[in-house]
Amino acid sequence: MESTSVVTSKGTTNAVGKWFRRNLQTSMIIIMMIVIWIFFSILTKGAFIGSQNISNLFRQMTVTSILAVGMVLVIVTGGIDLAVGKFAGFVSVIVAFLQAFVWYKLIPDQPLLAATLSVIAGLSVGILVGMLEGYIVSYLGVPAFITTLGFQWIWNGAILLVTGGRTIPANQPYFSYIAQGYLPLWLGWVVAAVVIAALFYTMFNSRAQKRRYGFATNKLSLDMAKTIALSLVILFYVYMVNQYNGVQVPVLLMVIVAFIMAYLGTNTPFGRHAYALGGNMEAARLSGINIKRNVFLIFVLMGLLCGVAGIVLASYVGYGTISAGGGYELDAIASCILGGTSPLGGSGTVFGAIIGSLIMASLTNGLQLLNVTPAWQYIVKGAILVGAVYIDVYFKKNR
Amino acid sequence: MTEEIILDVQNVTKQFPGITALSNVSIQFKRGEIHGLCGENGAGKSTLMKILAGVYPYGTYDGSVFYEGQELKLTSNSIKEARAEGIAIVYQELTLVPDMTVGENIFLGKEITENGVINWDKTYAECRKILEHYKLDVNPNDVVKHLGVGKMQMVEIAKALSENAKVLILDEPTSALTEAEIDKLMEILESLQEKGITSIYISHKLEEFFRITDSITVLRDGKTVITAPTKELSLEKLVSYMVGREMKERFPHSTRKPNGTIFEVQNLHAIDPEEPSREILKGVTFDLKRGEILGIAGLMGSGRTELVTTIFGEMGKITSGKMLLEGKEINIKSAKDAMEKGISLVPEDRKKQGLVLIQSILNNLSLPNLYSFSKTWRIDKNQELKSCLQQVKNLSIKISNIENEVNSLSGGNQQKVVIGKWLMTIPKILIMDDPTRGVDVGAKYEIYKLMNELAEKGVSIIMISSELEEVLGMSDRVMVMHEGRSNGILDITEATQEKIMALATGIA
Ligand SMILES: Nc1ncnc2c1ncn2[C@@H]1O[C@H](COP(=O)(O)OP(=O)(O)OP(=O)(O)O)[C@@H](O)[C@H]1O
Ligand SMILES: [Mg+2]
């Protein structure tokens, strides 16, 4: 009896090891994140890992993450979008402008309706601009780098026009809830329970499907280990943030966005076509893929996500300003690259980008806790970005 | 001839994750001989050559290699070291920089400098000398991407020889060459032999071994099967050593009966859209029957590839003439368009047009077929895996794991992936541009069988091939192209090599 249990546990360890080797990139970056967390936790004597800080950390990463999640697909197709930061900023000032100056005249005393309209407006602007950029890049053939660089300047100007240099308040009720709200504690647990149930259902369902097709399934112990580990992470997170104020609405939003994008990227022809055309455009075209439409749609998606990010940004900071969104595009790009997206196109994952931006946010947050001056924060972040990518390159070469 | 051993490979074993590419291989190469190396796709030929050339440095394999009596220990800058030692290699896949000139390419990595600055005059003068020496008809100032594949191959060889090589490794140098170019290559190799240079020659065109080599080694599944003087071997023996059984025929028998016209091309003219003054098709007329295999023969540059890519909507701009599919005039704007109408193309260049090298075998096979695996907007990954595994089996593609990068496959197996992905689209008309390039005899036979099966099911196939034997062995009719024109269509019963060549060179 005893010997069999030893054998299975050894088998599982082997299987886990195999998984790690197969997913070297993902494993590496997760390990890196854990190392950084441990490091900061020790240096800050536990303050870093405290529930209030964890809560803040996740909220701080939302805007960049939402941008990074869209950026992954843009970079995967071999493009780049330098306009996302300032565009999200533009959406945020537009939304703030509507909140502060327009709705109260048109529909006074209806804050819920006003907030809803603001969201719709922000998303619409996102989609429309995405369509315009996508059209210019894919149908007119102007390189993405140039198009989006141009748009970055355009948004700089547009933001100045809308704000007139002033700060516009966007802290009205309901609207604030989008990025400052918390789920009631009990609802947090309910969400966690639902997600965990879904995880287990998916796992068993996919095993059943595989068996129906006559494929060997992973060891049950391995699948269980993976699902349980993920569930524990979720439970731990909800427990931590419930110690403070509860699950934040924007974090939930970010997770939903990331999930949808990840699913789109790996499980639909659209997503797979994007990866293929980034890897070899000519082979993709000869495979019957409509390259132009695919690239166009990716920019539309990116625009939509900029809209989401802009709304969250306005709600989070509570006002629209001329500096809104400055430099976010670089944070988003760095998150992608840190998360294993190839700058040459063709490969990269949404999950990696999320972890990448969590690492970036952790660095900022941890260094702030340690009272490191902004100057050194930049220097450390820059060095870590380059160093981390080097480690990745090194391991790939010596696999 | 001296019997001195220049290269002695002893018990070399090379492993990749999940696969043993070479196990205990020992071969001796004599100075001044032309040594043929053959074996099925994935037998380990290229891997062994890459060990000799320093791509896989000392320590990444087991066993030893002795070169001129000394153990070869290529380490840090191993590729350069091997070159300095006098081991030159022409890789299976072209390695020229397309946007550079011939001269720049040949001297890439060993630029002629004066005080740290490149002396271009001297570079080009040297380059011209090399090209003239080997009687290569190439201008050193030409940009490589404007050359045909055959000339590129010649430039590769010149590049390898530009550094006094003692051993020249040629990994499938003739897979993209025309008959005339092959003749030229043979001449060059013979003149090298007279100078005492050893050549190691890999090919899947087995006849070539009997024209040129002194001895032959056969590899199978990473093991040496036999090394013997060429005169003691015959084609049949060689094939049976390679595939491990006897092969009675090169081309499988078929009972197909083409009937009814499915596709017609009438007096097609087309220009190069990037260079409108250049006419790439100057009048092509043919018809294709349901369930027929139509071979297209012609010399390199006769417009065969241009014809099929133009039909596929991907290259030329049609200026006059028309195309009829099932009696209706059609206008194809893109590959997507063509595929929706039931026409698929297996392209010529697997690396550039066929595969996404950084992706898995699975993803490559399924790429043109994703919609057929998705009932809704979601891909049924189990269905995808099942179909692709089936295809791997049908084509006997040698893989260790379908999730591995397609880049890790041997050249011939990559070619099978290319064929497989477009076969899965279940077209009405399948156009194949040199489909068996670099594929071993056994696998060729499998591909031919598949083509026959398809034709028997009513699929019409247009096959371009540079191997006349293949054209004659597989086609129902042969269309011969000459300078962008269709110069005649021969029924297989009347077609001979001579007649085809006469049409191809414009004599007839
Ligand atoms: N970098 C690599 N990673 C993993 N496997 C590899 C790699 N390179 C080669 N292999 C495997 O090693 C085996 C031998 O490959 P090799 O390229 O030497 O074959 P080959 O004899 O040259 O075949 P071909 O005639 O098709 O060119 C194949 O099974 C191939 O898949
Ligand atoms: Mg090879």
Side-chain angles (χ1 to χ4, degrees), chain B residues 41-42 44-47 50 92-93 171-172 202 204 410-412 438:
Chain B
N41 296 130
K45 304 178 296 291
S46 300
T47 306
K50 284 181 185 164
Q92 185 168 4
E93 317 283 345
D171 196 349
E172 295 187 36
I202 299 178
H204 286 293
S410 77

Side-chain angles (χ1 to χ4, degrees), chain B residues 174-448:
Chain B
T174 56
S175 63
L177 299 193
T178 60
E179 306 284 328
E181 285 165 331
I182 293 174
D183 290 342
K184 176 145 247 171
L185 179 71
M186 300 279 152
E187 269 171 41
I188 294 175
L189 288 182
E190 273 158 9
S191 75
L192 290 175
Q193 187 174 25
E194 277 158 26
K195 286 188 206 130
I197 295 177
T198 311
S199 300
I200 304 175
Y201 189 88
I202 299 178
S203 180
H204 286 293
K205 300 184 181 171
L206 303 180
E207 297 81 10
E208 290 167 5
F209 287 117
F210 296 94
R211 270 178 75 179
I212 186 129
T213 62
D214 302 305
S215 49
I216 303 177
T217 296
V218 181
L219 286 181
R220 187 166 72 230
D221 293 334
K223 300 188 188 74
T224 8
V225 180
I226 187 177
T227 301
T230 308
K231 49 183 184 296
E232 291 173 14
L233 290 164
S234 67
L235 193 62
E236 291 70 36
K237 269 194 196 160
L238 201 57
V239 171
S240 65
Y241 281 128
M242 274 178 71
V243 298
R245 63 189 154 84
E246 249 175 78
M247 265 185 74
K248 291 193 193 65
E249 37 170 27
R250 292 278 294 276
F251 300 101
H253 186 67
S254 169
T255 55
R256 63 175 177 266
K257 290 196 188 60
N259 68 318
T261 304
I262 182 167
F263 184 62
E264 270 176 272
V265 169
Q266 295 174 355
N267 203 13
L268 203 66
H269 285 73
I271 53 167
D272 182 351
E274 274 159 31
E275 209 182 314
S277 60
R278 197 166 77 90
E279 196 170 33
I280 51 178
L281 296 178
K282 303 169 186 162
V284 177
T285 302
F286 70 91
D287 65 309
L288 180 68
K289 300 202 171 66
R290 201 168 269 113
E292 175 184 45
I293 299 181
L294 176 72
I296 302 186
L299 302 177
M300 193 72 64
S302 61
R304 298 171 306 173
T305 295
E306 286 81 352
L307 170 66
V308 292
T309 41
T310 302
I311 292 175
F312 203 57
E314 282 295 329
M315 175 153 180
K317 188 166 172 290
I318 295 174
T319 47
S320 71
K322 54 183 171 180
M323 298 193 280
L324 301 153
L325 180 66
E326 293 172 324
K328 277 192 282 279
E329 184 166 353
I330 53 164
N331 175 14
I332 294 172
K333 292 185 290 290
S334 65
K336 180 175 163 18
D337 212 12
M339 289 175 70
E340 276 163 8
K341 293 190 166 77
I343 305 176
S344 285
L345 171 78
V346 176
E348 182 183 25
D349 185 334
R350 63 168 165 263
K351 235 178 157 180
K352 240 168 65 191
Q353 308 168 305
L355 298 170
V356 184
L357 287 169
I358 57 170
Q359 290 192 349
S360 65
I361 301 160
L362 176 69
N363 281 6
N364 271 285
L365 280 171
S366 63
L367 185 58
N369 309 299
L370 287 174
Y371 286 112
S372 64
F373 306 132
S374 29
K375 281 184 222 85
T376 52
W377 44 275
R378 180 181 148 266
I379 300 168
D380 181 345
K381 292 203 167 171
N382 290 310
Q383 182 61 47
E384 179 189 8
L385 183 60
K386 194 175 161 194
S387 309
C388 293
L389 282 173
Q390 185 59 44
Q391 195 67 354
V392 166
K393 214 168 120 209
N394 287 350
L395 291 169
S396 41
I397 306 177
K398 192 182 169 193
I399 62 171
S400 59
N401 186 337
I402 198 163
E403 301 278 354
N404 285 357
E405 271 182 22
V406 75
N407 213 1
S408 72
L409 293 182
S410 77
N413 282 305
Q414 288 182 13
Q415 183 65 23
K416 290 194 212 167
V417 173
V418 176
I419 295 176
K421 71 184 259 206
W422 274 289
L423 274 185
M424 271 172 31
T425 59
I426 317 178
K428 287 187 218 158
I429 299 176
L430 181 65
I431 305 174
M432 307 175 97
D433 195 347
D434 226 348
T436 61
R437 178 201 288 190
V439 174
D440 69 55
V441 271
K444 266 185 189 162
Y445 191 81
E446 298 298 317
I447 292 172
Y448 297 147

Side-chain angles (χ1 to χ4, degrees), chain A residues 188-189 191-197 199 227-241 247 255:
Chain A
W189 287 116
V191 169
V194 169
V195 171
I196 289 172
L199 283 178
T227 315
I228 290 174
L230 210 55
S231 308
L232 286 179
V233 170
I234 293 168
L235 289 176
F236 174 73
Y237 172 75
V238 175
Y239 171 78
M240 285 303 281
V241 294
V247 174
V255 172

